[in-house]
């Protein structure tokens, strides 16, 4: 008997269907009372464990070697925490014609979230780009975002972000940064185990996100925030996000060319600089927005699926680009990745991930 496989022509990541199903479950059976407290505590622990695994997977040597390519990392950080927020602020003019104020707040929060890690690596690998640079760029963005995202939210969202305070920043640091650093410290002893069981632990990654989604949307159902959204407004939000993604993909590709990056680096910049992390954004929204986290993460969830679908197509097309040996030599001269990282170009899977 043949094993059932997800059709390759199907544009929707099956994990997105699980996310949609989780939202539906939260709508039908939201966690209340004691169950809500248990779900909230479990989601906090799951996200902390998720970032612990991120730390355990990341090679410290690769990170230090990646620092040599500082121009690329600054470019990615500028795209993530400067260009994206500027576009988010410009979208303020679309209220109230295309977006309601709560949906705009969620869209603006989306532009403040760090870049992805796994999917940036996967798509860069598929497109024959600079995988070591993508590994470091995604990791650096996530670490910087633990501090920068709440600060930007405080400055740009103000009281809409649930009353940002030093306590909320401390909570985010404890939930994300401390577990990540713990994973880095213990990598010497558990790195091999994590590598050997990456498929099983990948299920933990995705399960953690589903749990956080269920908790956030359950709280939103209990608070009645979904009465604020109509199908027409959702269509308007999707249209705005299509334009946002198209602009960022164009800016990262042609902007990096203007900055004289080689082809492999441009691929890493495009995939790391145009994407937003669901794994980082969800726990931050839970802390910053409280009961309104469901509306805050809705734009991020929609953008997440959109970026996976579009980037999968782009990566597949880039994989068929003619190989330019002169450009490859130039890129190699700028950054020489360690042997372990270089090998990851073929080792990294091209499946779509949840971050």
């Amino acid at each position: 008997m043949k094993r059932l496989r997800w059709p390759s022509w199907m544009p929707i990541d099956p994990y997105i269907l699980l996310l949609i199903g989780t939202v539906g479950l939260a709508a039908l059976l939201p966690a209340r009372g004691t169950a809500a407290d248990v779900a909230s505590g479990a989601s906090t622990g799951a996200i902390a464990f998720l970032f612990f695994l991120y730390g355990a997977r990341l090679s410290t040597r690769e990170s230090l070697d990646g620092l040599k390519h500082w121009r690329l990392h600054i470019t990615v950080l500028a795209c993530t925490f400067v260009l994206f927020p500027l576009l988010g602020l410009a979208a303020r003019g679309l209220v109230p014609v295309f977006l309601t104020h709560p949906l705009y707040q969620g869209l603006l929060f989306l532009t403040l979230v760090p870049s992805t890690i796994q999917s940036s690596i996967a798509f860069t690998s598929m497109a024959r780009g600079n995988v070591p640079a993508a590994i470091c760029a995604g990791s650096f963005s996530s670490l910087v975002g633990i501090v920068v995202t709440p600060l930007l939210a405080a400055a740009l969202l103000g009281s809409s972000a649930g009353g940002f305070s030093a306590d909320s920043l401390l909570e985010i640091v404890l939930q994300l940064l401390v577990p990540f650093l713990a994973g880095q410290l213990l990598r010497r002893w558990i790195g091999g185990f994590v590598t050997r069981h990456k498929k099983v632990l990948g299920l933990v990654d995705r399960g953690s996100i589903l749990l956080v989604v269920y908790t956030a949307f359950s709280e939103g159902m209990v608070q009645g925030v979904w009465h604020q959204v109509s199908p027409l407004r959702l269509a308007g939000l999707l249209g705005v996000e299509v334009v946002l993604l198209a602009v960022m993909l164009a800016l990262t590709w042609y902007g990096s060319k203007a900055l004289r990056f080689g082809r492999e680096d441009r691929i890493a910049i495009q995939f790391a600089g145009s994407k937003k992390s669901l794994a980082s954004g969800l726990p931050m929204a839970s802390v910053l927005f409280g009961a309104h986290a469901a509306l805050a993460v809705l734009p991020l969830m929609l953008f997440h699926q959109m970026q996976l679908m579009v980037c999968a197509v782009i990566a597949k097309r880039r994989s068929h680009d003619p190989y330019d040996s002169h450009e490859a030599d130039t890129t190699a001269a700028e950054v020489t990745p360690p042997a372990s990282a270089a090998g990851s170009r073929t080792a990294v899977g091209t499946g779509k991930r949840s971050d």
Side-chain angles (χ1 to χ4, degrees):
M1 181 181 288
K2 292 184 178 179
R3 217 167 105 197
L4 292 176
R5 294 178 181 270
W6 190 258
S8 59
W9 51 264
M10 189 72 74
I12 300 179
D13 180 358
Y15 183 69
I16 297 300
L17 297 181
L18 288 176
L19 283 172
I20 295 172
T22 301
V23 173
L25 178 62
L28 295 174
L29 298 171
R32 302 173 184 269
T34 303
D37 294 335
V38 172
S40 178
S43 65
T44 299
I47 288 296
F49 185 60
L50 174 62
F51 273 78
F52 173 81
L53 291 178
Y54 284 167
R57 288 176 185 142
L58 180 63
S59 167
T60 305
R61 179 185 172 188
E62 288 175 10
S63 299
L64 294 175
D65 284 332
L67 288 174
K68 299 175 184 177
H69 207 8
W70 58 270
R71 277 207 320 134
L72 184 147
H73 300 310
I74 289 177
T75 301
V76 171
L77 291 176
C79 291
T80 304
F81 298 115
V82 179
L83 291 181
F84 253 118
L86 287 175
L87 292 174
L89 290 173
R92 179 68 178 84
L94 301 175
V95 179
V97 178
F98 291 96
L99 302 172
T100 63
H101 185 69
L103 285 179
Y104 168 70
Q105 296 293 326
L107 179 71
L108 183 55
F109 174 72
L110 148 70
T111 65
L112 311 179
V113 171
S115 179
T116 63
I117 300 178
Q118 285 103 325
S119 55
S120 293
I121 298 169
F123 289 131
T124 300
S125 173
M126 185 190 302
R128 296 187 292 115
N130 190 338
V131 174
I135 293 171
C136 296
S139 302
F140 293 158
S141 178
S142 293
L143 289 175
V144 171
I146 290 172
V147 176
V148 171
T149 297
L151 293 178
L152 287 174
L156 302 180
L157 292 169
S159 59
S160 301
F164 175 85
S165 65
D167 289 340
S168 62
L169 176 60
L170 178 61
E171 186 175 346
I172 290 172
V173 168
L174 290 176
Q175 189 176 352
L176 305 184
L177 181 59
V178 171
F180 182 91
L181 294 177
Q184 277 282 283
L185 290 174
L186 295 176
R187 174 180 164 77
R188 177 179 177 182
W189 295 280
I190 66 173
F193 176 85
V194 170
T195 301
R196 289 193 303 273
H197 298 85
K198 60 182 179 181
K199 289 187 177 179
V200 175
L201 293 176
L203 297 177
V204 175
D205 284 6
R206 297 189 164 206
S208 300
I209 300 300
L210 293 176
L211 183 57
V212 176
V213 168
Y214 175 76
T215 303
F217 278 80
S218 288
E219 192 168 359
M221 286 298 300
V222 172
Q223 297 294 329
V225 299
W226 287 110
H227 297 298
Q228 305 174 33
V229 184
S230 68
L232 186 61
R233 293 299 188 181
L234 283 177
L237 175 63
L238 279 172
V240 172
E241 291 193 343
V242 167
V243 174
L244 176 63
L245 180 59
V247 170
M248 284 306 303
L249 286 170
L251 287 176
T252 50
W253 183 250
Y254 294 107
S256 58
K257 182 178 181 180
L259 293 173
R260 304 182 68 80
F261 283 100
R263 175 191 174 277
E264 292 189 352
D265 288 347
R266 290 172 66 196
I267 289 172
I269 290 171
Q270 184 176 54
F271 289 130
S274 65
K275 302 227 289 305
K276 292 295 183 175
S277 173
L278 192 65
S280 297
L282 282 174
M284 290 182 185
S286 301
V287 173
L288 296 174
F289 291 91
H292 299 283
L295 276 182
V297 301
L298 179 61
L300 178 60
M301 288 180 61
L302 294 176
F303 190 83
H304 175 259
Q305 167 59 18
M306 191 184 304
Q307 70 186 10
L308 290 182
M309 292 169 61
V310 174
C311 289
V313 174
I314 293 175
K316 189 172 183 179
R317 293 188 63 180
R318 296 256 187 267
S319 68
H320 298 301
D321 287 348
Y323 188 76
D324 189 333
S325 59
H326 172 72
E327 192 172 69
D329 291 341
T330 302
T331 303
E334 291 178 354
V335 56
T336 303
S340 59
S344 67
R345 182 169 303 175
T346 55
V348 175
T350 57
K352 302 165 189 170
R353 298 301 301 271
S354 62
D355 62 347

